[in-house]
Amino acid sequence: MSAALTERLRSTRLHWYVAAGWALDLFVGDGHAWPFPEEADNQHQTWLHEPATGQYRLDVFREPHRGDWWVCRRDASITLPYDDLILRTSDGIPYVIPEVALLFKAKSPRAKDVADFPQALPAMDRSRRARLSE
């Protein structure tokens, strides 16, 4: 995660945050690609790459929302205000709360997803564990 990216996105009015395993890494301290924009309306994820090298640099998830509330794309009954959804590192990097990152990893867990759970769980307080359980 780059401080330069955080600085570039700091002035955007959109809610943005680090998600998935990277969010869990920030919390505990330690693939398909489709053409854009042709498939933008059919996909929730966009991979950005450097045209010169073809190397992918950023993976962007586009999540549904209602005003200042995030809506889970897998179950619209799961909602959170962005103030509760996003934590920040001491450097100001926003990242999704661990219980939401783990929720998404639970659908089709890979070895790395299974390994993330025992790493994140001990760092989660009772209220985060309860939210995850719900």
Side-chain angles (χ1 to χ4, degrees), residues 3-23:
L5 176 61
T6 301
E7 189 56 39
R8 287 183 141 188
L9 294 175
R10 189 176 310 279
S11 64
T12 184
R13 293 186 350 211
L14 300 173
H15 294 284
W16 74 273
Y17 48 86
V18 176
W22 288 105

Side-chain angles (χ1 to χ4, degrees), residues 25-73:
D25 288 344
L26 292 173
F27 179 73
V28 299
D30 5 301
H32 293 277
W34 293 271
F36 185 86
E38 298 88 38
E39 290 293 321
D41 292 338
N42 299 322
Q43 306 296 329
H44 68 274
Q45 189 171 10
T46 301
W47 288 81
L48 305 175
H49 72 281
E50 284 184 50
T53 65
Q55 185 173 8
Y56 287 97
R57 297 292 187 178
L58 187 62
D59 182 6
V60 177
F61 292 93
R62 293 178 311 282
E63 297 289 330
H65 64 92
R66 289 186 208 116
D68 284 337
W69 284 70
W70 166 81
V71 177
C72 179
R73 72 175 177 272

Side-chain angles (χ1 to χ4, degrees), residues 1 20 46 49-50 64 67-68 71 76 105-106 110 117 119 123 131:
M1 180 54 50
T46 301
H49 72 281
E50 284 184 50
D68 284 337
V71 177
K105 287 174 156 286
R110 301 160 294 181
F117 184 76
Q119 292 287 353
R131 183 182 287 153

Side-chain angles (χ1 to χ4, degrees), residues 24 97-104 124 127-129 131-132:
L24 293 174
I97 56 176
E99 51 270 42
V100 169
L102 291 170
L103 167 71
F104 279 95
M124 295 171 66
S127 66
R128 291 195 184 287
R129 289 176 184 211
R131 183 182 287 153
L132 179 60

